[in-house]
Amino acid sequence: MLKKLLYFIFLLEILFPTLIKAQDISLFTQINGRYDFTFIGNTLNPSENTNFSPTFLYTQSSANLTLSSNDRIERAYLYWAGSGAGDTQIKLNGIDISPDQLSTVNGTFSNFTYFSAFKDITTFVQSTGNGTYTLSDFDINSLVSTYASNATQFAGWAILVVYENPSLTLNQINIYQGLEALSPNPNAIPPLIDNMTIQLNNLYLISNTGAKIGFIAWEGDRFIQVSERLSFSANGTTNILSNPINPSNNAFNGTNTETNATNLYNMDLDVYSIENYIVPGTTSATVSLQSGQDYVMLNTVVTKLNSQLPDATIVLENPTSTCNSREVTIDFTVSNLNSTEILQANTPITFYIGTQAITTTYTQSIIPIGGSENGTITLTIPTTIPLTFTLTAVVDDTGNGSGIRPELIETNNSFQIEIELTVAPTFNPLENLTSCNLGLTRGLFDFSNYSELVKTNLSDIVSFHESYNDAVQNINPITNSSNYEAITTPKEIFIRIDNSCFSITSFLLLTENCPPIVYNAVSPNNDTTNDTFFIDGLRDVFVNFELLIYNRWGKHLWTGNNNKPDWDGYIQDGVSSTIAPDGTYYYILYLNDPNYPEPLTGYLYINK
């Protein structure tokens, strides 16, 4: 049997990643508003366990939920527990249930394993409502004979229901859960008394009216009362808890104070009034358990306290800033959602960068329970702060870490958001580009490589524009940067470098008069090929040029300039002209340009 049990435990650890060992009881959730709670549940033990009975456990049992017509179910949590490492395939009203969390603990002097399982069944109970709840297919009978050896064969289940009713006071429901066990050893000499203390934090009591505490516990025995005690401590005072069916020396005795049942064998669903044990202003308390013989597992502790307080929270979103500005505009929402009282107007909100308070603003109106208020603020960021930083907003903070409003929860007042200020990108200076004058300062240019040369950050986006305004507005980009024609020069080209912010730089397109190219073959026969003496790069470039043509004997035949057509081989002879005979002729070209002080000379050949 032991080998099978160990193998079963091993399988559970593989199949259920939520399996955890004994877990300290700690705050699970808080619910604020007009709420109260109740327990329902039942045992699977036909009688209180002993070393010889029961010899079997039921596999199902039922309990009734009866809420008033004005009660609205807010939360419902199912717990089931028993001997062994855990039955994780059960049914509730015929519906398959598997745990959200499975906890185990080793206890008693036999070092046996016991379990508790947890499932959030809020939606299920909300849709089912009042009526009978039957938990079934919970079968650990194969373990009964083993666990009967130390009288810890048990199984049971419970449902914690939190409900809302408009007639209730504004309360805070605190649910603490885990799995801790008292495992005394009465056979030790002297007998070993075990005890535990559960810390209850995050309380803020404004009135002790109706204050109560409830427990879900397992395996308590009615007839074992050795050094058994359940006590509650707050504000330096300790009181032993008891009620008519739970004596002060036998708290874990198989009872349900919600139904006054005394036959809830080996499990307890007990609720105690703590009105007289707690005072307004209490923020924490402890529950202490002690046992000298009875093995007890504590699963859940629930408190209901009249805490009529706001709960301020804040969210930041939509930060915006402009280029080269240290101002950030940001939207914020202050909420009072998880609260039991309005949040007064003029609640301070302080904005921090690190520990440095930047500014403080205030809420404008009363924020009702469940309500919120939106706002927008523009912050001026000090120059000592880097461009990228974390902005923290703290509501109910006057600027020194302290607030002016008592709240249900004092640890959820802040919100952080990452901010990056944008500055204009840096860029590399660019040289002006010079091309040959194609006439009247026209030129062709290739500046496509400037899109990379200008960048200091490869992720920046670069575009070329013909005017400064186009660059600023990021419109009409130049698309032919590899073959751009400037009709006139100098021509300024503007570059936009963009990284969500942008910079503008520029360079000039310039032209220069390049040496002309002489085509010295002339065939004036009107065949459209070489019909004139053509010099490329001359006309409209060297606008003051003078061209003189001579025959080989030095006679001056023709003079040309920028206003006359190219020489077609005809020689002016008085009032008429004649075609020059075939042969070699000479030219002198005065460019009349400071860069070309000497005339160009050469020959041409006429061949008709």
Side-chain angles (χ1 to χ4, degrees), residues 36-271:
D36 203 342
F37 71 90
T38 188
F39 297 121
I40 69 167
N42 208 344
T43 182
L44 296 180
N45 282 44
S47 62
E48 188 165 290
N49 55 23
T50 68
N51 294 103
F52 53 86
S53 68
T55 58
F56 73 96
L57 301 177
Y58 296 126
T59 60
Q60 70 175 49
S61 62
S62 301
N64 293 321
L65 176 64
T66 306
L67 297 175
S68 73
S69 59
N70 291 328
D71 293 335
R72 183 190 67 82
I73 297 169
E74 172 69 18
R75 306 282 176 86
Y77 300 128
L78 171 65
Y79 305 86
W80 66 101
S83 308
D87 186 344
T88 59
Q89 300 298 320
I90 62 165
K91 294 180 184 295
L92 184 63
N93 288 5
I95 304 299
D96 289 332
I97 300 289
S98 58
D100 295 336
Q101 182 172 298
L102 179 68
S103 302
T104 62
V105 62
N106 292 335
T108 76
F109 59 87
S110 299
N111 201 33
F112 283 165
T113 298
Y114 305 88
F115 82 94
S116 171
F118 163 79
K119 180 71 175 181
D120 186 337
I121 58 169
T122 299
T123 302
F124 178 83
V125 176
Q126 286 173 337
S127 62
T128 303
N130 285 337
T132 300
Y133 287 80
T134 299
L135 187 132
S136 61
D137 288 22
F138 187 0
D139 188 356
I140 57 173
N141 277 288
S142 62
L143 304 176
V144 169
S145 59
T146 300
Y147 282 75
S149 64
N150 64 358
T152 56
Q153 69 278 35
F154 82 95
W157 62 277
I159 299 176
L160 164 61
V161 177
V162 178
Y163 60 90
E164 182 182 37
N165 190 305
S167 65
L168 293 170
T169 58
L170 290 167
N171 299 314
Q172 181 183 72
I173 306 296
N174 294 295
I175 301 175
Y176 306 82
Q177 67 182 41
L179 186 62
E180 296 191 55
L182 291 177
S183 185
N185 186 355
N187 298 323
I189 301 175
L192 179 62
I193 298 175
D194 200 4
N195 59 77
M196 74 172 80
T197 297
I198 309 300
Q199 185 72 37
L200 308 179
N201 293 321
N202 299 86
L203 311 178
Y204 201 106
L205 192 69
I206 198 166
S207 168
N208 58 359
T209 302
K212 66 180 185 179
I213 188 167
F215 301 88
I216 298 176
W218 311 103
E219 218 297 306
D221 294 276
R222 182 175 186 180
F223 298 108
I224 301 178
Q225 304 174 12
V226 179
S227 300
E228 187 170 302
R229 186 174 66 195
L230 174 62
S231 58
F232 179 84
S233 299
N235 306 298
T237 302
T238 298
N239 293 277
I240 298 175
L241 297 178
S242 65
N243 56 39
I245 62 173
N246 291 283
S248 60
N249 64 340
N250 193 14
F252 304 103
N253 57 354
T255 57
N256 182 349
T257 52
E258 298 291 78
T259 62
N260 288 319
T262 58
N263 60 347
L264 209 66
Y265 304 123
N266 301 115
M267 61 176 287
D268 283 88
L269 302 177
D270 293 324
V271 178

Side-chain angles (χ1 to χ4, degrees), residues 10-31:
F10 174 72
L11 285 178
L12 280 174
E13 289 177 341
I14 294 175
L15 296 175
F16 296 97
T18 53
L19 173 63
I20 59 175
K21 299 301 182 184
Q23 179 189 20
D24 289 346
I25 292 174
S26 59
L27 182 64
F28 172 65
T29 189
Q30 290 180 314
I31 307 165

Side-chain angles (χ1 to χ4, degrees), residues 542 588-600:
F542 298 92
I588 299 175
L589 177 59
Y590 296 96
L591 296 177
N592 294 319
D593 186 293
N595 293 324
Y596 299 90
E598 298 298 326
L600 303 180

Side-chain angles (χ1 to χ4, degrees), residues 10 50 130 238 243 250 264 271 291 383 389 394 433 459 488 490 518 580 604:
F10 174 72
T50 68
N130 285 337
T238 298
N243 56 39
N250 193 14
L264 209 66
V271 178
S291 176
T383 57
F389 58 90
V394 186
L433 287 181
S459 63
T488 60
V518 178
L604 64 134

Side-chain angles (χ1 to χ4, degrees), residues 307-319:
S307 303
Q308 293 181 261
L309 290 172
D311 182 36
T313 59
I314 189 168
V315 173
L316 303 179
E317 56 188 353
N318 304 323

Side-chain angles (χ1 to χ4, degrees), residues 360-397:
T360 299
T361 188
Y362 299 86
T363 59
Q364 300 300 301
S365 306
I366 291 174
I367 302 177
I369 296 170
S372 60
E373 177 182 289
N374 297 322
T376 300
I377 191 169
T378 298
L379 307 173
T380 300
I381 309 304
T383 57
T384 54
I385 302 298
L387 295 177
T388 300
F389 58 90
T390 299
L391 179 67
T392 302
V394 186
V395 63
D396 192 25
D397 186 326

